């Protein structure tokens, strides 16, 4: 989310970056979701990419909102000053943008997870679950996860890159060299802090019949019966996806913006 772009431009960049990320990394998401719910894995590409349409809309929409809201919040915090955001300002704007995006992302993930479990297309799945009681199922977990995830990919990498280049200018003499450690740290932050919330959300959304999992609190208690590590089921696939995603999105947002709106970066 660039302070050089307006809300619409940031939104366009965000949607483009989000869709590219999903099309590349959807198999990681499928494996993570299946393991969290204790379901068998399949490496059939048709199953690996089941729900990719809903997820592309989800990530495109959420990233669009995160870029647009985050960019607006950054401008608001700066108040016209020509300076770098402070660490807490950078992280705060990322978290706020992520929480807001969950209002759109949570229902779309519900559609994807139901497709992954039961098959069918997005329209059929939407019709089968389109009730107010279902659509906000898992929202609390999604909101916490999206807030920290957005901070992890939009706020942490610029902070790490900037600090590495200031502290070790000889070793990190370009953003490209600092991007890999920034992606590793951003992915680590985004994955392991949010994994328990994501596991609860995924289990709730996979069981809309409420046969095993009830409310957020009831679901967390049920999962905890298998020990604390149960909250980290699928974390390996999620961390792998997040490191790749943070690297891709940190790179792409710096490429796509100038490509689509070159005049804004002159």
């Amino acid at each position: 989310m660039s302070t050089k772009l307006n809300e619409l431009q940031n939104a366009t960049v965000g949607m483009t970056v989000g869709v590219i990320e999903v099309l590349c990394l959807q198999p990681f998401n499928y494996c993570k979701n299946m393991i969290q719910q204790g379901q068998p894995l399949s490496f059939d590409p048709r199953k690996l990419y089941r729900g990719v349409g809903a997820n592309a809309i989800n990530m495109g929409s959420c990233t669009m909102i995160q870029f647009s809201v985050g960019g607006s919040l950054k401008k608001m915090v700066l108040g016209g000053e020509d300076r770098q955001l402070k660490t807490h300002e950078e992280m705060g704007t990322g978290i706020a943008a992520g929480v807001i995006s969950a209002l759109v992302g949570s229902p779309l993930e519900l559609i994807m997870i139901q497709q992954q479990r039961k098959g069918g297309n997005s329209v059929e799945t939407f019709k089968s679950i389109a009730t107010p009681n279902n659509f906000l199922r898992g929202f609390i977990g999604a909101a916490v996860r999206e807030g920290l995830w957005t901070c992890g990919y939009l706020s942490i990498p610029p902070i790490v890159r900037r600090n590495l280049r200031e502290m070790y200018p000889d070793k990190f003499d370009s953003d490209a060299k600092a991007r890999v450690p920034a992606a590793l740290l951003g992915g680590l932050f985004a994955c392991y802090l949010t994994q328990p919330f994501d596991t609860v959300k995924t289990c709730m959304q996979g069981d809309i019949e409420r046969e095993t999992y009830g409310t957020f609190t009831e679901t967390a208690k049920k999962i905890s019966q298998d020990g604390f590590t149960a909250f980290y089921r699928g974390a390996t696939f999620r961390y792998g996806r997040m490191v790749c995603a943070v690297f891709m999105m940190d790179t792409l947002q710096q490429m796509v913006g100038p490509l689509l709106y070159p005049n804004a970066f002159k």
Side-chain angles (χ1 to χ4, degrees), residues 21-22 25-26 28-29 32 55 59 149 236-246 249:
E21 185 269 326
V22 166
L25 303 178
Q26 175 70 8
F28 283 92
N29 208 3
K32 185 270 297 182
N55 201 27
M59 280 300 293
W149 153 244
T236 302
F237 285 106
R238 189 160 180 255
Y239 180 60
R241 179 211 162 203
M242 283 191 164
V243 169
C244 295
V246 169
M249 296 172 95

Side-chain angles (χ1 to χ4, degrees), residues 11-84:
T12 304
V13 172
M15 176 166 278
T16 304
V17 169
V19 170
I20 292 171
E21 185 269 326
V22 166
L23 294 177
C24 293
L25 303 178
Q26 175 70 8
F28 283 92
N29 208 3
Y30 162 82
C31 292
K32 185 270 297 182
N33 286 341
M34 291 296 102
I35 290 173
Q36 282 177 321
Q37 299 171 80
Q39 299 295 310
L41 289 178
S42 169
F43 294 99
D44 181 342
R46 293 170 298 179
K47 292 186 177 180
L48 287 171
Y49 275 87
R50 185 182 281 171
V52 69
N55 201 27
I57 296 172
N58 168 32
M59 280 300 293
S61 302
C62 282
T63 313
M64 174 182 72
I65 293 168
Q66 290 158 4
F67 272 51
S68 179
V69 172
S72 297
L73 290 174
K74 282 186 174 184
K75 290 178 184 177
M76 191 184 303
V77 169
L78 288 172
E81 295 180 49
D82 184 17
R83 64 174 178 85
Q84 293 276 5

Side-chain angles (χ1 to χ4, degrees), residues 121-224:
N121 60 46
S122 297
V123 175
E124 292 171 346
T125 304
F126 174 80
K127 289 179 179 178
S128 69
I129 63 175
T131 67
N133 194 36
N134 284 333
F135 251 52
L136 288 180
R137 185 159 170 79
F139 172 75
I140 294 174
V144 174
R145 185 203 62 193
E146 285 303 312
L148 294 175
W149 153 244
T150 306
C151 181
Y153 86 85
L154 280 182
S155 302
I156 299 296
I159 293 170
V160 174
R161 276 191 283 108
R162 187 165 60 243
N163 285 333
L164 286 175
R165 294 199 64 184
E166 289 175 358
M167 295 171 66
Y168 307 101
D170 294 334
K171 189 171 184 178
F172 298 102
D173 55 3
S174 70
D175 276 351
K177 290 183 179 179
R179 187 164 282 122
V180 172
L184 289 169
L185 287 173
L188 188 67
F189 175 91
C191 179
Y192 286 96
L193 282 182
T194 63
Q195 180 70 15
F197 296 96
D198 184 70
T199 298
V200 173
K201 178 208 72 75
T202 301
C203 290
M204 290 179 68
Q205 291 185 329
D207 181 25
I208 58 171
E209 298 81 10
R210 295 161 173 78
E211 294 176 356
T212 304
Y213 302 110
T215 65
F216 184 89
T217 303
E218 290 168 347
T219 302
K221 287 181 179 178
K222 178 71 175 176
I223 295 170
S224 68

